């Protein structure tokens, strides 16, 4: 079995930025998703870092135009719970044999996290061609990722971790980057204040980062 690259690319190529969302309150889910989709960012990664995450995924999945995924998926149990809540894709911070095999088994696209050439090769051996480069900044940034383009010519990356509106264009200019993941489009203070207009504006600005 191999990663469904066509299904994953159909999601990741919708916009240059995939919002990485840490949402503590379920009541924020729908207005947040609506603001991001209205700003042009339909692929939403809801990290499984809060007790509300599954309910947030379930609520966001009702928003027209939203393609909701689950982030910080660490094991098969988390994967199954996320999919049951409505997640259409999954993102993991690393790439264990267990999570790689389980994602292929259940047939839901997984973006596995890698930080080195060796990790990328192991994920590639397991059938994956699109990966999350994480944590992008500490792992070497655009310079390191550029160095992987030639030896791993058939692998694409979504760098996440230390990616901002300032350095995103440098990543997006690389031939082996399909998009970036970032949390700056949904700052905690804007969510807590219900400033959905600001989040929509940040999403629109992120759309302009494509090169």
């Amino acid at each position: 079995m191999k990663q469904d690259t066509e299904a994953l690319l159909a999601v990741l190529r919708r916009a240059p930025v995939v919002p990485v969302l840490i949402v503590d309150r379920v009541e924020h889910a729908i207005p947040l998703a609506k603001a991001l989709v209205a700003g042009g960012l339909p692929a939403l990664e809801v990290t499984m870092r809060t007790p509300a995450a599954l309910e947030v995924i379930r609520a966001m999945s009702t928003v027209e135009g939203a393609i909701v995924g689950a982030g910080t998926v660490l094991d098969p149990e988390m994967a199954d719970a996320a999919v049951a809540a409505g997640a259409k894709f999954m993102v993991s911070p690393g790439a264990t044999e267990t999570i790689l095999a389980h994602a292929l088994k259940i047939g839901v696209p997984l973006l596995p996290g890698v930080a080195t050439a060796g990790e990328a090769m192991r994920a590639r051996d397991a059938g994956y061609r699109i990966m999350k480069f994480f944590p992008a900044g500490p792992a070497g940034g655009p310079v390191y990722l550029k160095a992987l383009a030639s030896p791993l010519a058939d692998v694409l990356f979504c760098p996440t971790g230390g990616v901002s509106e300032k350095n995103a264009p440098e990543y997006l200019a690389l031939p082996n980057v399909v998009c970036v993941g970032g949390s700056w489009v949904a700052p905690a203070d804007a969510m807590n204040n219900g400033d959905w207009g600001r989040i929509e504006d940040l999403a629109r600005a992120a759309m302009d980062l494509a090169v």
Side-chain angles (χ1 to χ4, degrees):
M1 292 185 288
K2 292 185 177 181
Q3 179 190 47
D4 190 344
T5 56
E6 290 187 7
L8 195 50
L9 284 174
V11 173
L12 300 180
R13 283 180 169 160
R14 294 288 295 274
V17 178
V18 174
V20 179
L21 308 171
I22 302 174
V23 186
D24 296 302
R25 296 164 58 182
V26 177
E27 57 265 33
H28 288 166
I30 289 179
L32 175 59
K34 286 183 175 179
L36 291 167
V37 170
L41 305 182
L44 311 176
E45 178 189 337
V46 177
T47 61
M48 302 276 280
R49 303 181 195 178
T50 73
L54 291 175
E55 287 303 316
V56 169
I57 291 172
R58 191 170 286 112
M60 284 188 170
S61 296
T62 68
V63 174
E64 184 176 357
I67 307 170
V68 186
T72 324
V73 175
L74 305 178
D75 53 47
E77 291 75 22
M78 291 179 73
D80 291 342
V83 172
K88 301 303 182 186
F89 66 96
M90 302 179 295
V91 185
S92 61
T96 65
E97 292 181 7
T98 302
I99 193 64
L100 292 175
H102 188 71
L104 295 179
K105 178 182 177 181
I106 64 176
V108 177
L110 170 70
L111 192 65
V114 301
T116 68
E119 292 173 3
M121 289 175 65
R122 285 191 288 274
R124 184 181 180 279
D125 285 348
Y128 290 78
R129 294 294 184 274
I130 309 172
M131 306 170 196
K132 170 183 177 177
F133 181 55
F134 177 83
V143 174
Y144 185 87
L145 201 50
K146 182 179 181 179
L148 297 182
S150 181
L152 297 175
D154 60 348
V155 176
L156 293 173
F157 297 93
C158 172
T160 305
V163 179
S164 68
E165 67 273 30
K166 293 182 179 179
N167 61 19
E170 191 174 357
Y171 284 104
L172 292 167
L174 298 177
N176 56 345
V177 168
V178 62
C179 64
V180 300
S183 59
W184 80 87
V185 294
D189 63 328
M191 282 192 280
N192 291 333
N193 293 329
D195 194 350
W196 311 117
R198 177 185 168 199
I199 290 175
E200 182 176 339
D201 289 342
L202 288 169
R204 291 187 188 282
M207 282 294 294
D208 294 334
L209 296 175
V211 294

